[in-house]
Amino acid sequence: MSRPSVRDARHVSLARVLHRRLYVNCDGRVVTVGGRIAYRKLKQTLAHYERPPTAAEAPSPQDFGITVCDGELSAQLLHAICQALHRWRKDVSAKAQRRPAKRRAVAALARERREIETLESRLRALNDWRTKLVRGAEPPGAPFFLDGGEETSLQAAIEDAEREHPLTPLIAWQARLVYWLSGECAARRFLSATTPLLTAHCETAWLKPIRSFQQAVLVWKRRDANETSGNLLREIARHIRSLPPEIVRQGRFSARLRSRTFQQHCAFLLQNCLKLLAESESRRWRLVPAALAALTAADGSAIALPLRCFRDAVESEDHAQFTRAVDELADQIGERGYDALLSALERLPVSPCEIEFAALRRLLARGDALADSVWACQQRLAHRVADSCLSVRTVRSLDEAFARRGCPLNNSDLSELTGRLQRRQDLQPVQAWLAWLGVVSPRTITPRLQKTLHSAFWDRYLPSVQKRPWFEQLAPCLAVPRRTKPSENCEPLLERIAAQQRLMGKAQTLPKSLRKLLDCRKRRQREREALRARQASSALDRAAQARLELLENNRDAAPDVSKLRRIAEEAFLASGIESLHFITRKLAEAACRTHLGELFRFFSPEEHWQLVCWIDAMSESEQACFQELVAAQNRYGRDYRRRLAKNQDWISQARTRGVNLDRWFAAEPHEVVIGDQTMEIEVTEELQYIFRMGAYFKTCLSFGGCNEMSVLANAYDANKQVVFVFGAGRDGRRQVIARQLIAVSSEFQLLRYCCYVHTGDAEAGKRRQIMDAMAVYCGKLAAECGLELADQGTPRTIGDHFWYDDGECEWTEAARTAWAAIARPAPAVVTG
């Protein structure tokens, strides 16, 4: 059985080389040009030309940012292409003569015939160009080759554009170049953008002052024959002061003659006016088309350019704004959603200058509606929403929902909320919160209550339902009352308030304010009976008598429904927030018991929530470090640092260097009396103090601070210690007065960092005494451990812990004196 023959299509591929861009230089050499076009390089190249260049002056493909050409079509290769076309035509004719069963589709054969005819026409035109260039002639448009059909299409596009405005030869040449680089569609886009912009040019804020000054100079020049030059120069000076400073600077306008006569000075000013006007015209007819030509040639789109982005800048001669707009649009070339951006910019409900193109493109590429995308850009949410799983419509709906419920979000809040909603299921707790708020009237939410709700949502509720699976436990706090008719009925609200009170284990099911209002009728009855008794025993005064009559006439008066509803709504929100805090405290307490073990008893209920948030913010390695620290202290107590695995290498080196590790890890405390207060200085190894070392003084090491994880390194690393000063508080309990971080440098010298002191309202002298006592203690500790004092250095890194320090501090004279007294004792005195 014979094998089917394989079609040899190499001649077809060779012939199709003629489809590429062809560059024919002055020597008649033909080069095929492929590759991407660099917008900025092309724009810079085109801006240099003020007239159409000759073939010798024309830019090369490298000037367009095309770094590598595909290859040269030599005479031999062109002859081979001619033979390939001939063979291709014979193959098509042979296929057309086959039997119908084996014949290819008629339409496909017709397409191949048309392609062959086009390539043969291009080859004839190309050989004609080469012949002319070799003989010294220059074909129109050289060296950028276009065949006859392309020339016809280009001329038709130019004629269509000239119906609106006559084109300069430079713009026609730029259109040809765009056609050569990117095809007919790009050329028509270039012409359709350039022509309206140049047609719309009118007298602008930039040109009018120059022309006005030019006319004034002509008048002053004529008046010089009859008036004194001094008066005319003063008029010139006043006129120059009224001109924009940029025009005065560029035109070098001045009222000083500088060794010129008045007539010569007027001629000088007129010459500068003409130069400014000429430069403006040159920029308008050269720089604007160059930028648009580069953009249309490089972007590869078929969508018309949005003229709204450029029209105002061109009409006002603001070339910086025009260049900025074109460059910003060019930065989006090749990005997903570029075509959608071009279409949207022409339909924007606001000025394009107010919108960031990159942000708008990203949103449009995701499928968001134009109005929503513009809203996100105006709210500065575009990048946040683009990285979120939510659509702009969803984020906008959330913003509107919060506003309708009397708790509007500002831009930073909305951005933060969008960033936190990374999954679709994260929306459920937020929607539950909004449904809970929707129960009450927005008028009920006063500024004070709004602040309370804001704090509860951001500080408690949102962290609880996102970082921990606590939503199910918190959902009862935000349960919505049952619906009833009429809507003014307060019974469902009262039921929910009672349920929230029961969640907190309170015996009273309703707050006092509500009980007082609901018991109004009973109170009125008691008051009526008391007044009757007084009336029976003695006469009532006028006020008491009027009150009794009012009570008698309104026996069945019920409390005001609107007032009851308002108080019930306030109580509903207050009870919800209170129960929310109660449940989160219980959940945080349980989580802290799990994480801290025996250390749990050293932290107050108010700190449990801070600890939970701190642990949730840890990375996996930081959580492992935290668990190792807690387990080691629970097992080994104050000696836990010696047992940590990552400290063993440093402990071995320190022992080799002669460091007294027993004193370093178990320094003796020291008591001092400052003022009338006894204080104790010690190096603590208790984690509850080290973890709080930032919270005591509200520094960046506090829970929730930017460097909160640094305390893990201070608690773990063997080459670091925290020195505390303890004193008795007003309640008699031990409290922290001061603390200071010390560390052993890589050269085994002792470093000190900032000493924080909290003395309340005490005088500065007491603060200085505490710092001196701390310095003396550290100096003695260094000497006992065999360490020298150093003002600069860096501790060795132990493990991969994050560590922050606020910079080394110089040791005080008191510390050095204390160190010297132990490290270098005074020589014994020899007596006679």
Side-chain angles (χ1 to χ4, degrees), residues 394-409 414 417 421 426-442 445 453 457 461-462 471 478-481 483 572-573:
T394 303
V395 176
R396 195 172 183 181
S397 298
L398 286 177
D399 181 49
E400 294 169 354
F402 273 95
R404 284 197 307 270
R405 285 155 177 79
C407 295
L409 301 176
L414 191 56
L417 181 61
L421 301 178
D426 291 341
L427 268 175
Q428 183 183 1
V430 179
Q431 290 169 343
W433 178 273
L434 289 171
W436 176 69
L437 284 180
V439 172
V440 305
S441 169
I445 302 179
L453 289 168
F457 179 76
Y461 179 69
L462 207 55
F471 179 58
L478 305 179
V480 178
R483 293 180 178 273
F572 171 74
L573 293 179

Side-chain angles (χ1 to χ4, degrees), residues 151-275:
E151 290 282 2
T152 302
S153 299
L154 175 61
Q155 291 304 316
I158 291 175
E159 290 174 2
D160 292 340
E162 284 186 329
R163 292 192 183 99
E164 297 184 22
H165 191 281
L167 298 183
T168 63
L170 179 62
I171 294 179
W173 175 78
Q174 290 172 339
R176 178 189 185 86
L177 183 60
V178 172
Y179 195 118
W180 180 77
L181 286 169
S182 300
E184 180 183 2
C185 180
R188 287 189 175 275
R189 290 174 66 225
F190 163 67
L191 292 171
S192 64
T194 305
T195 305
L197 289 179
L198 298 181
T199 304
H201 177 71
C202 59
E203 290 294 314
T204 64
W206 172 265
L207 296 177
K208 285 180 179 179
I210 301 175
R211 296 194 186 281
S212 175
F213 184 66
Q214 184 184 36
Q215 294 300 319
V217 172
L218 291 172
V219 174
W220 290 320
K221 188 175 181 181
R222 288 195 299 269
R223 289 169 56 189
D224 181 52
N226 303 318
E227 300 182 35
T228 60
S229 299
N231 292 334
L232 296 177
L233 288 173
R234 281 191 288 272
E235 288 186 29
I236 292 176
R238 284 196 299 270
H239 195 117
I240 290 175
R241 284 195 294 270
S242 67
L243 293 175
E246 185 68 16
I247 291 179
V248 175
R249 184 184 63 80
Q250 293 190 15
R252 297 166 59 196
F253 296 149
S254 172
R256 296 183 180 181
L257 295 179
R258 300 185 186 278
S259 72
R260 290 186 291 263
T261 64
F262 186 82
Q263 290 291 323
Q264 290 173 338
H265 186 64
C266 288
F268 171 76
L269 294 177
L270 291 172
Q271 182 181 1
N272 289 351
C273 288
L274 292 173
K275 187 182 295 184

Side-chain angles (χ1 to χ4, degrees), residues 664 719-721 723 740-743 750-751 778 781 811:
W664 175 250
N719 59 355
K720 301 177 182 69
Q721 292 283 17
V723 184
Q740 182 174 26
L741 176 67
I742 58 176
L750 191 65
L751 307 170
C778 293
L781 177 62
W811 289 100

Side-chain angles (χ1 to χ4, degrees), residues 306-359:
L307 300 185
R308 285 187 61 192
C309 299
F310 319 124
R311 191 185 303 276
D312 292 342
V314 171
E315 292 180 357
S316 62
E317 292 289 331
D318 191 344
H319 297 285
Q321 179 185 343
F322 170 79
T323 302
R324 193 162 49 246
V326 178
D327 289 348
E328 187 178 351
L329 196 57
D331 290 338
Q332 310 309 311
I333 292 176
E335 300 291 342
R336 182 168 169 261
Y338 177 73
D339 285 350
L341 174 65
L342 293 182
S343 300
L345 288 176
E346 200 65 43
R347 299 181 285 112
L348 283 180
V350 297
S351 172
C353 300
E354 304 175 16
I355 300 298
E356 184 184 353
F357 291 171

Side-chain angles (χ1 to χ4, degrees), residues 691-746:
F691 288 166
R692 293 195 196 103
M693 62 183 293
Y696 289 129
F697 303 95
K698 298 180 180 179
T699 68
C700 62
L701 302 185
S702 305
F703 299 128
C706 57
N707 295 308
E708 59 180 345
M709 299 305 169
S710 183
V711 298
L712 292 174
N714 295 336
Y716 191 103
D717 296 351
N719 59 355
K720 301 177 182 69
Q721 292 283 17
V722 185
V723 184
F724 284 89
V725 177
F726 295 99
R730 293 180 179 179
D731 55 358
R733 288 189 291 184
R734 196 185 200 201
Q735 70 175 22
V736 174
I737 304 298
R739 67 97 170 149
Q740 182 174 26
L741 176 67
I742 58 176
V744 179
S745 70
S746 54

Side-chain angles (χ1 to χ4, degrees), residues 598-619:
E598 296 180 6
L599 287 176
F600 170 80
R601 58 192 175 90
F602 295 109
F603 293 92
S604 65
E606 291 75 16
E607 292 176 308
H608 294 158
W609 173 254
Q610 297 176 348
L611 284 167
V612 167
C613 293
W614 179 51
I615 294 170
D616 287 341
M618 293 179 183
S619 63

